[in-house]
Amino acid sequence: MFDQLQKIRQQAGELIPVVMDRQKLNEIRVRFLGKKGEVTRVLRSMGQLSPEERPRLGKKANEIRDYIENLLEQKLALILAREKEEHLQQETLDVTLPGRNIILGHRHPLTQIMNEIKEIFLGMGFEIVEGPEVELDYYNFEALNIPKDHPARDMQDSFYITPEILLRTHTSPVQARVYEARVPEIPVRIIAPGKVYRRDDDATHSPMFQQVEGFLIDRQVSLADLKGTLLAFVRQMFGPDREIRLRPSFFPFTEPSAEVDVSCIMCNGVGCRTCSHTGWLEILGSGMVHPRVLEIAGYDPEQVSGFAFGMGVERIAMLKYGIDDLRLFFENDLRFLKQF
Ligand code: DAH
């Protein structure tokens, strides 16, 4: 029996090293260590031995079982490692393929223009103040020298909430609010950006649009200051070659009042379709703050004066980018928005 065990050990020692797959390895395990395996069989037949010999043989058999188990285990680890390696080699992962891009969005063109306008005026020393979109009739009209029955109210068809409360039709009420809050402080140099609402809806009018109001109150402010400020703005916004012109106009809260035109961006003032062959494009309303408006707020119009202007952000964007339909800004069509 000792010889038998020795033979088993030798066979296992020769067989296991040359096996290279799991199934065969398992067959070997069964052959030697299984219930009917060779080692098991030897142990079972121990009864034939004398009581002195039994423990020696038992010890020897255990040693050989341990030896075989050890070999099997090492071999199994080797086979598993090899299988993994083969699996990795077969995997078809092309690391040279370009990665999938994460699509980055960007700011809406109107937000871009609004930011540009703010930057330009911040650069000239203006501060930014915002007012409410749901406004009192008082600030939207009356404090701006537009009494209840004034025909100028017809220029701005309004959304009323109550007879005294409406959606503001322009950003000019921020003037009235700021004057009232700051009087008698000077200088006042402010822009007031924000949404405004009117009962209008076509290719060049939207019921909601955005304006930037600007106003400056100080001692001895003149029309020349207004013109210089707006020229500086226009040249930063539309290019260094632009000119502006002031055309007499009427607003109840300015005197005198002027519409401001910029030399046509498309034809440089020569005359084309965009500017209806005039060479000029209207970009904003402006004027010297009406003494009555200063007085209502508590300023002394004999001591201080100021200028004011109001521009439509959508209009500036349309002119700058040559867009002919205002509604494109609000439809959220990516084919349009991606161009900016
Ligand atoms: N609030 C005017 C409008 O919406 C625009 C405007 C004109 C504002 C003249 C001004 C100004 O501050 O001086 O039509």
Side-chain angles (χ1 to χ4, degrees):
M1 266 186 242
F2 279 97
D3 288 349
Q4 241 177 309
L5 282 175
Q6 199 49 47
K7 233 171 108 192
I8 291 171
R9 185 196 148 100
Q10 197 193 332
Q11 281 180 343
E14 283 168 8
L15 274 174
I16 296 172
V18 297
V19 169
M20 240 9 253
D21 73 79
R22 264 198 273 177
Q23 203 192 330
K24 290 228 173 75
L25 198 67
N26 202 39
E27 281 166 14
I28 292 173
R29 177 188 299 280
V30 172
R31 172 175 162 191
F32 291 114
L33 305 178
K35 267 188 205 153
K36 292 176 189 165
E38 292 182 21
V39 176
T40 320
R41 227 180 309 145
V42 172
L43 283 167
R44 287 232 176 96
S45 57
M46 255 176 14
Q48 298 165 9
L49 292 175
S50 65
E52 303 88 68
E53 276 179 318
R54 261 179 236 158
R56 270 209 320 131
L57 187 90
K59 198 173 160 227
K60 182 79 180 168
N62 282 337
E63 259 175 41
I64 287 175
R65 195 193 53 215
D66 288 349
Y67 167 74
I68 296 174
E69 269 177 357
N70 208 355
L71 281 185
L72 289 169
E73 210 172 289
Q74 282 175 14
K75 193 67 194 205
L76 183 65
L78 210 75
I79 291 174
L80 289 177
R82 195 142 111 187
E83 281 179 0
K84 188 173 170 188
E85 179 75 13
E86 276 168 9
H87 178 72
L88 284 177
Q89 271 175 11
Q90 281 167 16
E91 210 168 42
T92 51
L93 174 71
D94 185 352
V95 293
T96 65
L97 276 176
R100 265 177 223 157
N101 273 339
I102 294 169
I103 297 164
L104 264 193
H106 62 73
R107 291 195 171 85
H108 191 279
L110 290 178
T111 307
Q112 293 181 35
I113 290 287
M114 187 60 116
N115 288 344
E116 267 183 64
I117 296 172
K118 287 179 188 170
E119 283 301 323
I120 293 170
F121 283 105
L122 285 172
M124 288 195 274
F126 285 71
E127 65 180 291
I128 297 173
V129 171
E130 290 187 1
E133 289 171 29
V134 179
E135 185 55 286
L136 292 174
D137 182 275
Y138 175 75
Y139 291 113
N140 197 79
F141 291 126
E142 281 183 59
L144 295 171
N145 197 29
I146 313 174
K148 284 252 190 286
D149 53 359
H150 198 285
R153 288 198 178 201
D154 293 347
M155 287 161 57
Q156 304 185 353
D157 226 350
S158 320
F159 292 108
Y160 273 89
I161 291 163
T162 73
E164 294 304 327
I165 298 172
L166 73 161
L167 297 182
R168 67 179 178 188
T169 57
H170 51 176
T171 44
S172 302
V174 183
Q175 281 192 54
R177 286 179 170 274
V178 167
Y179 299 153
E180 187 185 273
R182 299 221 176 160
V183 67
E185 186 189 314
I186 48 167
V188 174
R189 274 187 301 248
I190 285 171
I191 56 163
K195 297 188 176 71
V196 302
Y197 303 85
R198 290 187 202 177
R199 293 177 53 187
D200 267 337
D201 201 0
D202 60 41
T204 52
H205 297 87
S206 152
M208 185 285 303
F209 60 105
Q210 300 187 78
Q211 288 188 333
V212 175
E213 191 82 7
F215 43 100
L216 182 148
I217 307 294
D218 205 346
R219 260 181 246 286
Q220 298 188 326
V221 179
S222 77
L223 205 62
D225 298 314
L226 171 65
K227 190 171 180 186
T229 304
L230 291 177
L231 185 60
F233 164 72
V234 159
R235 288 188 172 166
Q236 285 182 72
M237 178 57 86
F238 295 109
D241 299 332
R242 300 275 69 81
E243 297 294 341
I244 59 171
R245 73 173 181 189
L246 273 60
R247 266 182 301 114
S249 183
F250 171 79
F251 299 101
F253 37 91
T254 43
E255 180 58 35
S257 304
E259 308 272 6
V260 177
D261 298 340
V262 59
S263 53
C264 181
I265 302 154
M266 299 295 160
C267 64
N268 229 340
V270 176
C272 67
R273 239 179 46 186
T274 302
C275 59
S276 309
H277 304 283
T278 61
W280 297 95
L281 299 163
E282 183 191 323
I283 55 160
L284 54 85
S286 67
M288 301 306 292
V289 178
H290 198 295
R292 194 57 205 122
V293 172
L294 292 172
E295 222 167 52
I296 292 172
Y299 278 105
D300 179 355
E302 298 293 328
Q303 297 298 315
V304 300
S305 56
F307 65 69
F309 56 86
M311 65 183 88
V313 177
E314 286 78 1
R315 182 164 172 78
I316 303 272
M318 287 170 81
L319 292 175
K320 180 152 175 164
Y321 297 129
I323 297 162
D324 56 8
D325 194 332
L326 170 71
R327 290 169 290 205
L328 287 165
F329 286 125
F330 308 119
E331 284 167 354
N332 284 335
D333 187 332
L334 287 178
R335 289 170 302 179
F336 171 73
L337 295 175
K338 273 183 177 166
Q339 299 175 53
F340 303 95

